[in-house]
Amino acid sequence: DAGVIQSPRHEVTEMGQEVTLRCKPISGHDYLFWYRQTMMRGLELLIYFNNNVPIDDSGMPEDRFSAKMPNASFSTLKIQPSEPRDSAVYFCASSLAGSGEVTDTQYFGPGTRLTVL
Amino acid sequence: LAKTTQPISMDSYEGQEVNITCSHNNIATNDYITWYQQFPSQGPRFIIQGYKTKVTNEVASLFIPADRKSSTLSLPRVSLSDTAVYYCLVEMNTGFQKLVFGTGTRLLVSP
């Protein structure tokens, strides 16, 4: 298996532009997570899905952020409009929660490094 | 605000045992405690997971007291390649966000 795939790996954009980050989870996994990592705030959960349904989006910073999972093999995280403070590494992760536990082993993608100028 | 705290950094030498503790006072009663390792420019990678008492695998041990308000990751004989940042991940009982990563511990292993 190729693991969790994220694209792009790097994104540089200007303030006000729309940014779309993409994730392909490991086939067969039930959960998909979006995280943001910065030096100041560490690793933060933004949103997670179970069987394509958003379960907890309390970590989404504000209305400028949105996430979708139209099917089991694809998810997007969109920022519109982007701001310099959105600069961070965004990770996607997936898990096969066979026991039904949300903290079951997560497999992380390589991340997307976003820079908003 | 639900918090999950760890020491910021630790130093060790090759061959030593390293213990990293995570405090999670408001942990949910029915979910795993999981530890991850992260190298620069990579996503976190699973190390070990447990619910209570002690769990051991080929790379680490995890000690969890009965009240589950803390957990300790034990790396038995570290090598230079264990230099990384280590995170605990728990589900909290309170706070606006339930799934919380610890603040991370940067481990530096020297020859």
Side-chain angles (χ1 to χ4, degrees):
Chain A
D1 198 319
V4 175
I5 299 172
Q6 291 187 247
S7 64
R9 292 294 309 277
H10 303 273
E11 177 81 30
V12 180
T13 190
E14 293 186 346
M15 183 174 63
Q17 297 297 306
E18 177 180 294
V19 174
T20 299
L21 310 181
R22 297 172 176 80
C23 176
K24 176 179 170 54
I26 293 173
S27 177
H29 279 192
D30 306 293
Y31 284 91
L32 184 139
F33 305 80
W34 282 101
Y35 292 93
R36 177 172 68 176
Q37 187 172 37
T38 62
M39 287 295 294
M40 291 299 296
R41 300 176 67 88
L43 270 163
E44 301 175 281
L45 175 68
L46 300 177
I47 185 171
Y48 76 88
F49 297 82
N50 182 21
N51 292 321
N52 313 338
V53 176
I55 302 301
D56 183 355
D57 64 355
S58 59
M60 296 287 263
E62 47 196 273
D63 292 345
R64 297 185 297 106
F65 285 69
S66 62
K68 294 182 179 180
M69 192 165 185
N71 57 62
S73 59
F74 183 66
S75 177
T76 60
L77 178 67
K78 185 176 294 186
I79 308 173
Q80 166 64 17
S82 59
E83 297 182 2
R85 60 191 169 123
D86 301 330
S87 298
V89 180
Y90 290 82
F91 288 104
C92 175
S94 69
S95 70
L96 177 61
S99 63
E101 306 289 3
V102 72
T103 52
D104 216 333
T105 306
Q106 295 182 31
Y107 297 84
F108 283 75
T112 295
R113 182 174 295 277
L114 173 65
T115 302
V116 183
L117 303 174
Chain B
L1 177 66
K3 293 188 68 174
T4 307
T5 56
Q6 302 177 229
I8 293 175
S9 63
M10 298 183 71
D11 294 328
S12 183
Y13 293 97
E14 285 187 290
Q16 289 190 331
E17 177 183 82
V18 171
N19 296 308
I20 305 174
T21 297
C22 177
S23 297
H24 28 77
N25 289 333
N26 294 313
I27 188 172
T29 56
N30 58 352
D31 239 340
Y32 289 117
I33 298 165
T34 311
W35 282 78
Y36 290 84
Q37 176 191 56
Q38 187 179 27
F39 296 113
S41 301
Q42 295 185 23
R45 185 176 69 173
F46 172 85
I47 301 174
I48 196 168
Q49 179 180 77
Y51 179 71
K52 59 182 177 180
T53 63
K54 178 183 174 182
V55 178
T56 298
N57 63 18
E58 62 275 9
V59 299
S61 293
L62 179 59
F63 299 91
I64 305 170
D67 65 7
R68 296 185 7 110
K69 292 187 176 182
S70 67
S71 58
T72 299
L73 172 72
S74 181
L75 305 173
R77 288 173 300 280
V78 296
S79 63
L80 297 178
S81 62
D82 292 321
T83 293
V85 181
Y86 293 82
Y87 294 93
C88 60
L89 174 66
V90 299
E91 185 179 23
M92 308 302 284
N93 222 9
T94 60
F96 79 96
Q97 188 165 75
K98 296 298 176 62
L99 200 57
V100 179
F101 267 98
T103 48
T105 299
R106 187 174 300 275
L107 173 65
L108 175 62
V109 181
S110 301

